């Protein structure tokens, strides 16, 4: 049997982004879309244009700029959804319209409040309408794994007859077991006329931790597209993790008879970018991309590793693009050394980016003797400006300890000159935040704040991620410094710059609420 090609359909920007805490601005989505292109995904689902004005615009921007992958947009089986999605993907080199409707009796009755006949009528008219925008139409039967098999076959047959080229049968609620999920595909493919002419697709959620196992089982049952997300992000327990599917295929290619086009060496970079943008990092033991995924600390393992790497290592960190942590740069390293190190890490910087990062690098080198790769990556991610840096922190001084904490802050902004303020709070970070929001006159409510130390050692850089409601809008920000109060203040200023930028764009995408999804 010949090795099958399996298409990787990435839905990080749609199914992943719609989960709470993952909301991204249009600029951030575009940045991630470029990296997904570099990663080599075949289909990039860019969003759900009917969900909000911002989503519509962001899908259109991605369709216009990212040329290699097929760009897909999601739509319910509603005329307006389909028209908006169709227009949004208009500029794409290759566009796909993805329509979906629930087919399980539970969903038909409780969610849609219609009949099976109504669903059939909507499937027919919607696939037909989608075809007026593109020949590449995907149809998804939401909650397929809990749908009556006879009805599922009727729906799929109709969608194929109306011209859908890809048939996605999701395990929307993460309920199926691998053998059941595979059997469903075998059954449908065997019974439905025209099945041989379309691509079947798997879309699995991880509520029982089986999303990847179910996706692999589906491939064994003839599925030739899997839908997945980077870091496995998504609703509830998330989606099947792209990196796990790709690496299973790489490492076990003898046993799993399929190939895919994703470049494994871009996996870590993509995972990190997504984490920096959302402020949510995978748990340390997360397969492939977690912080400890390649660490061997237990003595017995370490001994084995020293003898021969293969004793405990089934893949090497370099395969997924994890930089080796080596002591590289210091105070006397020049621009060239910095540029070269970034190139080794896989980043070609523009002149402007390099100047920006170099400025921050020298400031950091004053405080920290040895600068490691992790520090460099943090600087780089900080220098990616998602929004113009209209507000800048120019001075910060805090007093805390046995006295009640106070902070003194000076900032520059779109106004002329500097403004300063003093704030108090329960702790030094709270005091700094009070002073900053006072200068800007904005309502700031911090929803979460987390701190990571990037490298070992006493002079480690602290990276702060925060999510805040600024005048009612949810935004994230990050900042890095050897001083955690300063890192926190920078993270807040970053979020405030994004808030100002969002006001300008009058974007509604930042607070878009999704009620539906596959
Ligand atoms: Zn989903």
């Amino acid at each position: 049997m010949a090795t099958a090609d399996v298409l990787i359909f990435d839905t990080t920007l749609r199914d992943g982004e719609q989960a709470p805490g993952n909301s991204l601005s249009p600029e951030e989505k575009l940045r991630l879309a470029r990296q997904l292109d570099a990663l080599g995904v075949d289909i990039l689902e860019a969003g759900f244009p009917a969900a909000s004005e911002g989503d519509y615009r962001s899908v259109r921007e991605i369709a216009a700029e990212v040329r290699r992958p097929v760009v897909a947009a999601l739509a319910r089986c509603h005329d307006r959804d389909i028209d908006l999605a169709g227009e949004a993907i208009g500029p794409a080199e290759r566009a796909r319209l993805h329509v979906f409707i629930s087919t399980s009796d539970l969903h038909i009755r409780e969610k849609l409040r219609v009949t099976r006949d109504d669903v059939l009528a909507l499937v027919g008219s919607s696939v037909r309408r989608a075809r007026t925008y593109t020949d590449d139409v995907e149809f998804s039967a939401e909650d397929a794994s809990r749908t009556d098999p006879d009805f599922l076959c009727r729906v799929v047959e109709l969608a194929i007859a109306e011209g859908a080229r890809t048939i996605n049968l999701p395990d929307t609620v993460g309920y199926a077991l691998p053998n059941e999920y595979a059997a469903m595909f075998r059954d449908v493919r065997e019974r439905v006329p025209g099945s041989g002419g379309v691509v079947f697709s798997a879309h699995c959620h991880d509520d029982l931790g089986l999303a990847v196992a179910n996706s692999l089982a589906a491939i064994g049952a003839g599925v030739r597209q899997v839908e997945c997300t980077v870091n496995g992000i998504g609703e509830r327990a998330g989606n099947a993790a792209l990196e796990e599917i790709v690496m299973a295929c790489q490492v076990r290619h003898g046993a799993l008879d399929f190939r895919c086009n994703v470049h494994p060496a871009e996996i870590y970079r993509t995972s990190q970018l997504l984490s920096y943008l959302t402020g949510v990092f995978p748990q340390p033991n997360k397969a492939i991309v977690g912080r400890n995924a390649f660490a061997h600390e237990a003595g017995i393992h370490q001994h084995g590793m020293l003898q021969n790497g293969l004793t405990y290592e089934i893949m090497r960190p370099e395969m997924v693009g994890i930089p080796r942590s080596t002591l590289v740069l210091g105070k006397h390293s020049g621009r060239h050394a910095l540029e070269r190190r970034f190139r080794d890490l896989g980043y070609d910087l523009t002149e402007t980016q390099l100047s920006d990062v170099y400025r921050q690098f020298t400031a950091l080198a004053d405080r920290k003797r040895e600068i490691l790769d992790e520090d460099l990556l943090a600087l780089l991610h900080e220098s990616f400006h998602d929004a113009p840096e209209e507000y800048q922190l120019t001075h910060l001084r805090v007093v805390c300890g046995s006295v009640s904490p106070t902070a003194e802050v000076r900032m520059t902004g779109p106004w002329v000159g500097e403004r300063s303020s003093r704030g108090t709070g329960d702790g030094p970070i709270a005091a700094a935040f009070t002073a900053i929001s006072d200068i800007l006159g904005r309502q700031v409510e911090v929803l979460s704040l987390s701190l990571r130390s990037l490298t070992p050692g006493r002079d480690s850089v602290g990276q702060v991620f925060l999510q805040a409601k600024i005048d009612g809008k949810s935004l994230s920000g990050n900042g890095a410094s050897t001083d955690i109060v300063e890192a926190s203040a920078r993270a807040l200023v970053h979020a405030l710059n994004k808030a100002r930028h969002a006001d300008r764009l009058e974007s509604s995408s930042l607070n878009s609420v999704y009620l539906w999804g596959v």
Side-chain angles (χ1 to χ4, degrees):
M1 200 179 84
T3 303
D5 287 306
V6 170
L7 299 168
I8 298 294
F9 178 111
D10 177 90
T11 185
T12 308
L13 289 170
R14 202 278 300 168
D15 212 343
E17 201 258 356
Q18 77 186 54
N22 289 337
S23 68
L24 299 171
S25 69
E27 291 75 18
E28 292 167 330
K29 287 186 189 174
L30 189 58
R31 167 160 310 132
L32 195 58
R34 290 190 197 113
Q35 179 56 34
L36 290 167
D37 181 10
L39 179 64
V41 304
D42 298 287
I43 300 108
L44 192 165
E45 188 163 54
F48 188 179
S52 73
E53 178 78 38
D55 246 48
Y56 173 87
R57 219 190 49 227
S58 137
V59 172
R60 231 183 127 79
E61 274 173 20
I62 293 170
E65 192 185 308
V66 179
R67 308 311 285 169
R68 186 198 51 81
V70 172
V71 176
L74 185 72
R76 287 170 295 184
C77 284
H78 288 179
D79 289 355
R80 182 177 165 273
D81 273 35
I82 296 167
D83 294 342
L84 285 169
E87 287 162 24
I89 53 173
E93 183 82 37
R94 292 185 294 156
R96 173 176 299 188
L97 219 158
H98 179 191
V99 292
F100 78 98
I101 192 165
S102 281
T103 52
S104 68
D105 287 327
L106 182 65
H107 279 213
I108 292 174
R109 201 176 55 234
E110 301 296 329
K111 191 177 97 168
L112 301 173
R113 295 169 197 273
V114 295
T115 64
R116 282 186 175 187
D117 284 339
D118 296 330
V119 169
L120 286 170
L122 283 168
V123 171
S125 62
S126 300
V127 173
R128 222 172 306 137
R129 193 178 189 94
R131 281 290 308 272
T132 62
Y133 290 97
T134 170
D135 287 340
D136 188 350
V137 172
E138 170 169 337
F139 171 77
S140 283
E142 185 184 354
D143 208 16
S145 55
R146 293 193 302 174
T147 297
D148 166 48
D150 293 337
F151 183 61
L152 186 60
C153 287
R154 285 178 67 196
V155 170
V156 171
E157 183 175 351
L158 177 62
I160 294 175
E162 293 294 350
R165 281 187 185 171
T166 303
I167 301 294
N168 182 39
L169 303 181
D171 182 28
T172 304
V173 292
Y175 178 74
L177 300 176
N179 60 333
E180 295 169 348
Y181 196 52
M184 176 191 73
F185 281 104
R186 285 204 185 92
D187 183 45
V188 171
R189 289 181 62 224
E190 211 173 275
R191 286 167 60 185
V192 174
S195 285
V198 299
V199 170
F200 278 87
S201 165
H203 178 116
C204 300
H205 281 265
D206 209 29
D207 298 68
L208 291 174
L210 292 171
V212 171
N214 284 341
S215 305
L216 296 178
I219 293 173
V223 158
R224 292 296 170 256
Q225 171 179 293
V226 283
E227 305 195 354
C228 45
T229 61
V230 176
N231 295 350
I233 66 166
E235 294 280 16
R236 307 182 309 276
N239 287 67
L242 178 147
E243 62 278 6
E244 295 176 24
I245 293 170
V246 171
M247 290 317 287
C249 165
Q250 287 279 320
V251 174
R252 299 305 312 277
H253 55 83
L256 296 170
D257 209 13
F258 72 94
R259 259 189 318 240
C260 64
N261 292 321
V262 166
H263 311 305
E266 292 292 332
I267 285 178
Y268 187 71
R269 237 192 304 287
T270 315
S271 164
Q272 287 283 299
L273 177 61
L274 173 65
S275 305
Y276 274 97
L277 293 177
T278 57
V280 182
F281 282 77
Q283 85 268 17
N285 62 319
K286 166 76 179 65
I288 320 292
V289 292
R291 196 171 220 186
N292 295 345
F294 292 94
H296 301 270
E297 300 221 332
I300 183 169
H301 287 203
Q302 237 173 23
H303 177 72
M305 284 291 293
L306 291 173
Q307 304 290 318
N308 178 351
L310 292 177
T311 47
Y312 286 99
E313 214 171 53
I314 59 163
M315 57 195 154
R316 289 191 321 283
E318 304 88 80
M319 286 170 74
V320 296
I322 295 180
R324 279 186 177 284
S325 191
T326 40
L327 309 178
V328 276
L329 303 175
K331 200 175 170 133
H332 303 291
S333 308
R335 259 174 82 109
H336 261 314
L338 188 68
E339 188 182 15
R340 205 172 43 234
R341 190 61 203 152
F342 272 118
R343 198 168 312 128
D344 290 345
L345 293 172
Y347 294 91
D348 272 320
L349 304 192
T350 63
E351 255 329 284
T352 333
Q353 280 174 328
L354 184 64
S355 306
D356 259 13
V357 177
Y358 186 66
R359 194 161 28 82
Q360 297 175 55
F361 168 80
T362 48
L364 179 62
D366 281 339
R367 300 192 195 179
K368 192 171 187 292
R369 206 159 45 84
E370 290 162 337
I371 303 212
L372 308 184
D373 289 344
E374 287 87 344
D375 298 321
L376 295 181
L377 294 180
L379 291 181
L380 182 69
H381 284 285
E382 236 201 330
S383 77
F384 285 155
H385 302 306
D386 311 310
E389 276 189 291
E390 293 198 56
Y391 303 122
Q392 290 190 15
L393 189 68
T394 50
H395 170 83
L396 170 69
R397 203 174 97 94
V398 289
V399 182
C400 63
S402 51
V403 293
S404 70
T406 54
E408 192 182 284
V409 169
R410 274 203 297 276
M411 293 179 73
T412 56
W415 56 80
V416 180
E418 276 185 328
R419 284 187 187 172
S420 58
S421 182
R422 247 174 225 280
T424 56
D426 297 334
I429 294 176
F433 284 7
T434 309
I436 291 170
S437 40
D438 180 52
I439 292 177
L440 269 55
R442 300 198 74 146
Q443 199 72 43
V444 175
E445 185 197 343
V446 176
L447 303 173
S448 75
L449 185 148
S450 62
L451 169 71
R452 277 163 49 95
S453 82
L454 293 174
T455 51
R458 288 167 63 100
D459 61 354
S460 173
V461 170
Q463 178 107 37
V464 167
F465 293 92
L466 69 75
Q467 289 184 318
K469 266 214 158 84
I470 297 171
D471 293 332
K473 246 185 209 125
S474 293
L475 290 149
S476 63
N478 71 71
S481 169
T482 50
D483 174 336
I484 59 165
V485 179
E486 187 189 322
S488 307
R490 285 182 183 283
L492 180 61
V493 172
H494 181 214
L496 285 160
N497 274 317
K498 286 208 244 177
R500 184 170 163 87
H501 188 52
D503 292 346
R504 285 254 178 78
L505 299 170
E506 287 177 339
S507 151
S508 53
S509 77
L510 296 166
N511 282 322
S512 62
V513 174
Y514 289 86
L515 296 170
W516 307 75
V518 176

